């Protein structure tokens, strides 16, 4: 393993069916004024809202609601949340929802007392918070992003057509997260499978880099095998607890910083996917699914050994009688078959992208250098065209 690192993760997880019972104990660690953040109303339909508000009431908290956090939360919504948090001097932000609600809550937590425009400071200039940070706790209802145990916070600015993630340090990680797999049963299939690909892609973004022997790569192979196995069950039986709980746990470990230790990481599928999202407002996991294969096929020759290993160790491709290139290609074909089997979107055109957007999407794509090949702008355009 190459690279020195310091590792810690401050988020306390309460995992499993019935784990909402732990919320009361967690709330006791904070003051009386709680900002309850949620999305477009799914938690009211499935009863989670009633359960959470009953616990808040039982704990004697004064609750300030901030509803309507949209998928891919916007900068305008962030300004609104900052106002609510600041004016009511909240002691805790309780996020009840998916990655968008958790990400948004973290953005509000660092921005409420920020004296400048938080979009400029945190998302354009990528500075770290030097003001008061409001603690965040999460009750997760959608699986995929890993936001429940990381410092990631992605905000979209539709006016400038930029979707940018800031990965904050552990002072911004949720203080606690409640993970009850049964809370994810009501997810529509489209969201559920988008989340499955988000998890897969978080792992591959960290797997396809470096050439040294790294424990993190072996851990990731295990996580991918578990995800593939459980996802096949979950698409047929959405209420299979064993499958949904394994997927929830895999999602958390895929992006809670653990498997990135000692590695450089790539994140180019996410960079292209976010640019697609800024133009189309596509569901995050589907934007990734639509660009991943053209990207991996393009960089495969530069990281051939790892793509071969991926084929054999993750997809059980038999190497006998095949060239290295054929083995690697068979691995990516196996991933393609799995993606189609679980029902992912394979083209950005199906997400609303049109030919006239391609140049703009390429311009909105941040180019990273941690993977096997640093892309040129023309190569980004090739990938986007292959996904039309
Ligand atoms: O808004 P409501 O009504 O709650 O509906 C949501 C939303 O429409 C619905 N939903 C969530 N839980 C549900 C449910 N519907 C029924 N039953 C439930 N139990 O699902 C829809 C999507 O929710 P959202 O939170 O947007 O999805 P996701 O968890 O995929 O989050 C996406 C956001 O996270 C960012 C993405 O870019 C995107 O903005 N990411 C955050 C990351 C991080 N923090 O590290 C990393 C990721 O790569 C990603 O970029
Ligand atoms: Zn993602």
């Amino acid at each position: 393993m190459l690279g020195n690192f310091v590792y810690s993760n401050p988020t306390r997880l309460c995992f499993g069916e019935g784990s909402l019972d732990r919320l009361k104990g967690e709330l006791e660690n904070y003051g009386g004024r709680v900002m309850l953040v949620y999305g477009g109303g799914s938690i009211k339909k499935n009863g989670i809202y009633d359960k959470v508000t009953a616990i808040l009431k039982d704990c004697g908290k004064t609750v300030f609601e901030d509803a309507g956090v949209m998928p891919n939360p916007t900068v305008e919504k962030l300004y609104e949340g900052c106002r609510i948090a600041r004016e009511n001097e909240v002691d805790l932000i309780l996020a009840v929802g998916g990655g968008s609600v958790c990400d948004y809550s973290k953005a509000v937590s660092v921005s409420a007392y920020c004296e400048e425009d938080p979009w400029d400071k945190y998302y354009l200039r990528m500075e770290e918070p030097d003001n008061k940070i409001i603690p965040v706790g999460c009750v997760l209802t959608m699986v995929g992003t890993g936001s429940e145990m990381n410092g990631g916070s992605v905000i979209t600015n539709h006016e400038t057509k930029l979707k940018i993630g800031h990965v904050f340090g552990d002072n911004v990680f949720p203080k606690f997260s409640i993970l009850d797999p049964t809370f994810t049963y009501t997810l529509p299939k489209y969201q559920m499978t988008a989340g499955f690909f988000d998890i897969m892609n978080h792992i591959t973004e960290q797997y396809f880099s470096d050439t040294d022997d790294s424990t993190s790569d072996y851990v990731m192979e295990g996580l991918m095998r578990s995800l593939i196995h459980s996802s096949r069950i979950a698409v047929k039986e959405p209420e299979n607890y064993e499958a949904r709980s394994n997927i929830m746990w895999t999602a958390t470990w895929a992006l809670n910083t653990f498997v990135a230790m000692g590695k450089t990481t790539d994140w180019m599928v996410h960079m292209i996917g976010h640019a697609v999202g800024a133009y189309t407002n596509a569901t995050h996991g589907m934007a990734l699914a639509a660009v991943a294969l053209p990207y991996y096929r393009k960089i495969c020759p530069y990281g051939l050994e790892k793509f071969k290993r991926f084929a054999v160790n993750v997809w059980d491709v038999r190497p006998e009688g095949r060239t290295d290139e054929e083995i690697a290609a068979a691995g990516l074909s196996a991933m393609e078959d799995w993606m189609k089997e679980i029902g992912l979107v394979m083209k950005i055109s199906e997400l609303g992208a049109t030919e006239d957007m391609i140049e703009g999407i390429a311009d909105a794509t941040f180019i990273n250098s941690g993977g096997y090949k640093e892309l040129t702008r023309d190569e980004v355009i090739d990938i986007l065209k292959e996904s039309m």
Side-chain angles (χ1 to χ4, degrees):
M1 181 177 261
L2 302 176
N4 300 357
F5 55 83
V6 173
Y7 181 72
S8 75
N9 191 310
T11 305
R12 184 166 42 245
L13 296 179
C14 308
F15 188 92
E17 186 164 12
S19 51
L20 191 66
D21 290 347
R22 304 239 168 216
L23 179 61
K24 192 171 179 203
E26 295 296 338
L27 290 174
E28 281 165 4
N29 298 324
Y30 304 92
R33 304 167 77 80
V34 177
M35 176 160 157
L36 174 63
V37 178
Y38 56 98
S42 70
I43 65 163
K44 290 204 167 161
K45 287 195 208 108
N46 59 23
I48 297 172
Y49 174 87
D50 289 342
K51 290 182 185 158
V52 169
T53 48
I55 294 168
L56 286 163
K57 195 169 166 216
D58 196 31
C59 294
K61 304 289 182 186
T62 307
V63 178
F64 304 92
E65 292 205 12
D66 181 7
V69 178
M70 60 294 282
N72 312 314
T74 63
V75 68
E76 290 80 13
K77 180 70 186 164
L78 170 61
Y79 299 144
E80 188 188 315
C82 289
R83 222 170 26 249
I84 298 172
R86 202 177 43 240
E87 285 174 7
N88 296 295
E89 297 179 2
V90 302
D91 301 306
L92 174 75
I93 301 175
L94 183 63
V96 185
S100 293
V101 170
C102 297
D103 276 23
Y104 167 84
S105 297
K106 285 181 245 176
V108 172
S109 85
V110 294
S111 303
Y113 294 100
C114 176
E115 304 211 326
E116 303 163 65
D117 182 339
W119 171 257
D120 290 349
K121 180 179 170 75
Y122 298 129
Y123 293 92
L124 295 181
R125 300 204 306 273
M126 287 289 165
E127 289 172 14
E128 297 311 315
D130 48 12
N131 46 256
K132 178 177 166 183
I133 300 170
I134 305 168
V136 172
C138 300
V139 176
L140 194 68
T141 67
M142 148 110 197
V143 166
T145 64
S147 189
E148 65 276 13
M149 203 183 190
N150 70 34
S153 172
V154 183
I155 295 293
T156 299
N157 186 326
H158 286 295
E159 200 185 316
T160 56
K161 289 210 165 26
L162 288 172
K163 179 174 182 181
I164 302 179
H166 187 129
V167 181
F168 290 99
D170 49 10
N171 51 348
V172 184
F173 282 40
K175 301 293 177 219
F176 63 87
S177 283
I178 310 269
L179 274 59
D180 183 336
T182 66
F183 284 6
T184 68
Y185 286 174
T186 53
L187 272 170
K189 186 173 180 228
Y190 188 87
Q191 295 296 341
M192 177 181 79
T193 53
F196 294 170
F197 193 75
D198 196 19
I199 304 167
M200 174 57 94
N201 193 238
H202 292 160
I203 304 172
T204 54
E205 298 272 31
Q206 299 169 94
Y207 182 78
F208 288 120
S209 61
D210 304 325
T211 52
D212 60 310
D213 187 48
S214 166
T215 300
S216 295
D217 288 333
Y218 297 94
V219 172
M220 285 190 267
E221 287 166 357
L223 291 173
M224 287 189 272
R225 292 186 71 94
S226 171
L227 172 67
I228 296 159
H229 173 76
S230 292
S231 63
R232 287 186 160 134
I233 297 169
V235 287
K236 293 200 193 95
E237 299 169 48
E239 300 202 5
N240 184 308
Y241 183 81
E242 194 173 42
R244 297 302 287 269
S245 57
N246 279 318
I247 294 168
M248 194 171 215
W249 193 223
T250 299
T252 303
W253 284 95
L255 197 53
N256 69 357
T257 73
F258 172 65
V259 298
M261 291 302 120
K263 293 202 57 141
T264 55
T265 51
D266 181 359
W267 296 108
M268 265 323 291
V269 174
H270 271 66
M271 293 304 106
I272 304 172
H274 281 176
V276 169
Y279 272 74
T280 62
N281 205 24
T283 294
H284 172 65
M286 292 307 186
L288 304 175
V291 298
L293 280 164
Y295 173 69
Y296 286 128
R297 290 191 167 123
K298 191 166 278 300
I299 65 158
C300 181
Y302 303 91
L304 193 58
E305 277 302 312
K306 197 60 159 291
F307 279 91
K308 248 175 71 186
R309 178 174 159 176
F310 176 67
V312 174
N313 290 1
V314 179
W315 298 100
D316 295 328
V317 169
R318 301 289 300 267
E320 298 84 7
R322 290 171 154 166
T323 65
D324 289 357
E325 288 76 8
E326 285 166 353
I327 298 165
L332 290 175
S333 295
M335 182 163 87
E336 181 170 4
D337 292 346
W338 169 74
M339 291 168 73
K340 289 179 176 160
E341 180 188 331
I342 65 170
L344 296 169
V345 173
M346 306 297 280
K347 298 278 173 200
I348 58 170
S349 47
E350 290 171 49
L351 298 169
T354 48
E355 289 284 346
D356 60 312
M357 290 180 188
I358 286 183
E359 297 279 329
I361 296 174
D363 288 335
T365 300
F366 294 88
I367 309 276
N368 288 343
S369 58
Y372 288 120
K373 162 87 175 76
E374 189 169 327
L375 293 184
T376 62
R377 185 178 179 277
D378 285 348
E379 286 169 326
V380 175
I381 289 180
D382 289 348
I383 289 163
L384 293 168
K385 285 191 173 157
E386 274 172 51
S387 183
M388 285 301 290

